[in-house]
Amino acid sequence: MPSPGQTLCGTVVSAGKMMKAVKVRTSKQTYNSFLKKHFQAHQFHLVSDPNSSLREGDVVRIAPNWRTSKHIRHIVTEIVAPWGPPIEERPLIPKMEEMAEERMVKREAKIERRAERRSRGVDDRGSDQGGPTLKERHTGVIGGPEVVGGEERVVLEKEMMAR
C-alpha cells in the first residue's frame, strides 16, 4: 500500500466509456503571486479499474502504480463515497497485492512460452535461428542491395529452397 502522501483523492468524471479505465479529476491549489491569492486547479488522471466497479460521481482514492498502458499510470485503492448503487452491489476492487500476484503469474507464463519457443529453434521474431527472416522468406531477397558497376541491384539467394 502506498503511503498517504502518494495517494490522491478525486472524483470520477468519466466511467463506462473505456474498458477497465476511468477518468478521475483531482484538485490542488496554485498560488498567483501577482494577485497574492490561491486558486483551485484541476488535474485529470486516467486510472485503472480492473473490475469496472466505478460510476461517474464516485469519490475515490487513487495511487500511482506500474504503467498499465500509454496513459494509465494510477490505480484505484478505495471508494471513499459512492454515487448511485451502494458498494455492496458492485464488483470488489482488487488489492494491490492481488494485482501484483496476477501480474507475476502472467509474466511467468510468458517467460515459459518464450523458453519453449526458443527450445524449438524459433526466435522471438518468428524466424528460424540462423535462417532467413520472415521478410526475406516472403520476398525472396536475401541480404541487401549490392552495388555493381555503379548501379544497385538486389542479391537473390539461389539456394533458398535447398535448406
Side-chain angles (χ1 to χ4, degrees), residues 41-59:
H42 300 289
Q43 284 185 327
F44 292 91
H45 301 281
L46 286 179
V47 180
S48 177
D49 179 23
N51 295 339
S52 299
S53 57
L54 298 177
R55 308 289 182 263
E56 285 187 30
D58 287 348
V59 178

Side-chain angles (χ1 to χ4, degrees), residues 6-151:
Q6 293 178 317
T7 60
L8 300 169
C9 195
T11 306
V12 178
V13 292
S14 175
K17 298 176 184 173
M18 298 173 278
M19 292 176 52
K20 300 182 180 183
V22 295
K23 184 188 268 189
V24 174
R25 182 182 69 198
T26 59
S27 298
K28 68 176 188 174
Q29 286 190 346
T30 57
Y31 183 72
N32 187 325
S33 60
F34 180 75
L35 297 175
K36 295 183 174 62
K37 185 176 180 181
H38 289 278
F39 289 97
Q40 195 172 31
H42 300 289
Q43 284 185 327
F44 292 91
H45 301 281
L46 286 179
V47 180
S48 177
D49 179 23
N51 295 339
S52 299
S53 57
L54 298 177
R55 308 289 182 263
E56 285 187 30
D58 287 348
V59 178
V60 295
R61 190 170 313 278
I62 62 174
N65 203 358
W66 62 81
R67 191 174 180 161
T68 305
S69 68
K70 184 176 180 180
H71 298 289
I72 299 176
R73 298 182 180 157
H74 291 79
I75 188 166
V76 176
T77 55
E78 69 173 313
I79 299 175
V80 177
W83 181 265
I87 296 175
E88 294 81 26
E89 295 178 5
R90 301 181 188 188
L92 293 176
I93 295 175
K95 303 285 184 209
M96 300 273 279
E97 296 82 21
E98 294 171 2
M99 293 185 66
E101 181 66 30
E102 180 182 340
R103 186 170 187 235
M104 290 303 297
V105 167
K106 286 184 179 180
R107 179 72 181 153
E108 289 171 0
K110 180 179 180 178
I111 290 171
E112 288 175 14
R113 288 192 309 268
R114 181 182 292 170
E116 190 266 328
R117 254 194 329 265
R118 287 181 178 172
S119 69
R120 286 192 323 226
V122 177
D123 68 3
D124 291 336
R125 293 183 305 267
S127 66
D128 296 332
Q129 292 176 347
T133 64
L134 290 174
K135 183 176 180 182
E136 292 172 344
R137 277 189 270 164
H138 178 70
T139 59
V141 177
I142 304 299
E146 179 182 308
V147 179
V148 177
E151 42 179 78

